[in-house]
Amino acid sequence: MLLKATVTRKGAVLLGKHVACDAFDETRPLRVVTHAHSDHMLGLRQSLKQCEAAVMTPATKDLIDAIKGPRFLLTGNVKTLDYREALPYEDERLTLHYADHILGTAQVLVEDGDGTRILYTSDFRISRTPVVEADVLVLEATYGNPYRVRPFGIMAEGILVSLVEQGLKRGPVYVFGYHGKLQEIMRILYEAKVKVPFVVPEKVFQVSKVCERHGMRVGRRLLLFSDEGAQSMLCQREPCVVFYHTSSRGKVGKEGLRIYASGWQFVKPWQKIGEGEYRVALSGHSDFNELLYYVEKCRPKIVMTDNHRSGDAFVLAREIEKRLNIPARPVPS
Ligand SMILES: [Zn+2]
């Protein structure tokens, strides 16, 4: 049972005999990309060159096309799989299952010839993620520490809206976050009927277009550098919401209110971190209690906590053993 899943030092989550998720592994013919965040696209160029197929949901493929350019995936054989559609490979069977994280995110299930169910959750928020039952579970460990609990739930969404509305009274509001998260914020503001234009740089624009194509409602957007309307709006400090990838944080937006979407915010749903600067708790990950809830419902015989990506894999494994009495270990150890 132990050898049916592991995580390599390069971050590949190996399931069964043929599948490597989220990083390249030279021994595996199938590479799965669970979602389009960079720590889950490790070694993808190499996988495209050397694997028989790179497997992902259609939405993840579209997001990678938008983030890395449409030619990137053409260097390999990409196989898109809808949720619950099966891909047999020799004596194993691979299926992707919905996970609430960013558009296109999938949990990965491999059922092997012995009937063992081997599952990797990837990143997920518990609220809308279905629990998939499995014998062997590889679990994300981002908030694997008992201190990482959020008592305030989705209250942060309402706070985000009112912070934005307050800021708009004085001019532009800048929002910083990762791809996928920014589009979720657009959806929240759009649904809250924040009527001002959204101004976005090219890549954020492309990613939003993909989200829209896959059914998300993200509001009207103006392109930051090629739309004259957007330029003059910013020059005149007219109310609008400007969306930037987290990597631009600190470089732009000094003249407006700045809001950072962050998962690392636990005590309060929001925090003032400087003059005109706020951090709002909008996380795409389950907190500690929710991770434990998932394990309980999944009913695995053994759990491996992902110790490659940032988080608390050691503590989480220990707490799963202690509280649920299920053998658990961090991998790589
Ligand atoms: Zn992620």
Side-chain angles (χ1 to χ4, degrees):
M1 197 73 85
L2 194 61
L3 296 172
K4 291 193 174 186
T6 193
V7 183
T8 68
R9 298 212 170 272
K10 287 182 179 166
V13 179
L14 307 184
L15 304 177
K17 293 187 295 232
H18 306 109
V19 172
C21 308
D22 292 349
F24 173 68
D25 187 272
E26 59 280 353
T27 65
R28 302 299 170 111
L30 298 180
R31 159 70 190 266
V32 175
V33 183
T34 61
H35 63 287
H37 277 155
S38 57
D39 57 336
H40 296 261
M41 294 194 284
L42 304 172
L44 183 51
R45 194 178 292 277
Q46 210 173 354
S47 296
L48 288 164
K49 250 189 228 142
Q50 296 186 32
C51 295
E52 282 178 35
V55 182
M56 60 197 80
T57 61
T60 294
K61 178 187 177 294
D62 290 349
L63 283 177
I64 295 175
D65 282 344
I67 293 167
K68 291 194 173 282
R71 270 199 289 270
F72 181 79
L73 287 177
L74 292 177
T75 56
N77 175 33
V78 172
K79 165 83 182 144
T80 56
L81 264 193
D82 287 321
Y83 294 122
R84 294 174 171 277
E85 184 188 349
L87 177 66
Y89 192 97
E90 293 184 4
D91 60 337
E92 294 185 338
R93 185 173 176 272
L94 166 72
T95 42
L96 303 180
H97 297 261
Y98 179 80
D100 179 19
H101 180 60
I102 63 164
L103 179 76
T105 305
Q107 310 180 66
V108 185
L109 177 70
V110 170
E111 293 157 279
D112 72 4
D114 308 329
T116 306
R117 293 165 63 85
I118 309 151
L119 180 79
Y120 168 44
T121 60
S122 189
D123 297 344
F124 69 100
R125 265 183 304 222
I126 196 79
S127 46
R128 276 169 296 186
T129 300
V131 176
V132 180
E133 284 194 21
D135 304 298
V136 180
L137 172 65
V138 182
L139 180 66
E140 73 132 315
T142 310
Y143 302 136
N145 195 298
Y147 294 112
R148 304 298 189 198
V149 291
R150 286 181 295 256
F152 44 80
I154 60 160
M155 215 168 96
E157 293 190 8
I159 286 165
L160 169 82
V161 173
S162 50
L163 271 176
V164 169
E165 280 171 339
Q166 273 172 41
L168 287 172
K169 288 179 191 157
R170 275 172 283 136
V173 173
Y174 287 77
V175 174
F176 299 85
Y178 290 102
H179 291 308
K181 178 61 62 189
L182 288 175
Q183 287 70 24
E184 188 188 331
I185 295 171
M186 290 177 191
R187 177 187 59 76
I188 293 169
L189 297 179
Y190 176 78
E191 285 174 0
K193 304 205 176 356
V194 173
K195 284 271 164 44
V196 300
F198 296 165
V199 178
V200 297
E202 175 70 26
K203 204 162 269 185
V204 177
F205 185 82
Q206 294 303 338
V207 172
S208 334
K209 244 168 59 181
V210 172
C211 292
E212 211 165 34
R213 214 160 61 228
H214 287 270
M216 253 172 100
R217 303 204 302 174
V218 288
R220 188 167 73 96
R221 300 164 313 268
L222 299 176
L223 257 172
L224 183 58
F225 298 112
S226 52
D227 197 307
E228 279 178 28
Q231 287 301 319
S232 76
M233 261 180 134
L234 285 175
C235 286
Q236 312 204 11
R237 298 180 38 84
E238 285 176 36
C240 58
V241 185
V242 193
F243 292 85
Y244 267 104
H245 189 266
T246 299
S247 55
S248 298
R249 186 185 161 157
K251 296 177 206 155
V252 291
K254 296 281 185 238
E255 72 281 12
L257 183 85
R258 293 178 302 290
I259 298 172
Y260 308 115
S262 168
W264 297 94
Q265 171 83 26
F266 294 96
V267 181
K268 291 196 299 179
W270 61 280
Q271 195 173 0
K272 185 167 181 173
I273 51 173
E275 204 35 55
E277 249 181 345
Y278 295 87
R279 195 165 59 205
V280 178
L282 288 168
S283 176
H285 297 268
S286 297
D287 72 10
F288 175 78
N289 291 338
E290 293 164 343
L291 288 172
L292 249 61
Y293 172 88
Y294 190 101
V295 176
E296 221 180 335
K297 297 290 168 201
C298 171
R299 304 197 304 149
K301 299 186 178 78
I302 185 163
V303 181
M304 277 150 235
T305 53
D306 181 354
N307 192 34
H308 179 82
R309 289 166 186 84
S310 67
D312 262 312
F314 273 92
V315 180
L316 180 58
R318 193 186 65 207
E319 295 299 316
I320 288 169
E321 291 206 319
K322 205 166 78 184
R323 298 181 190 213
L324 303 178
N325 204 17
I326 297 169
R329 65 190 58 201
V331 280
S333 55

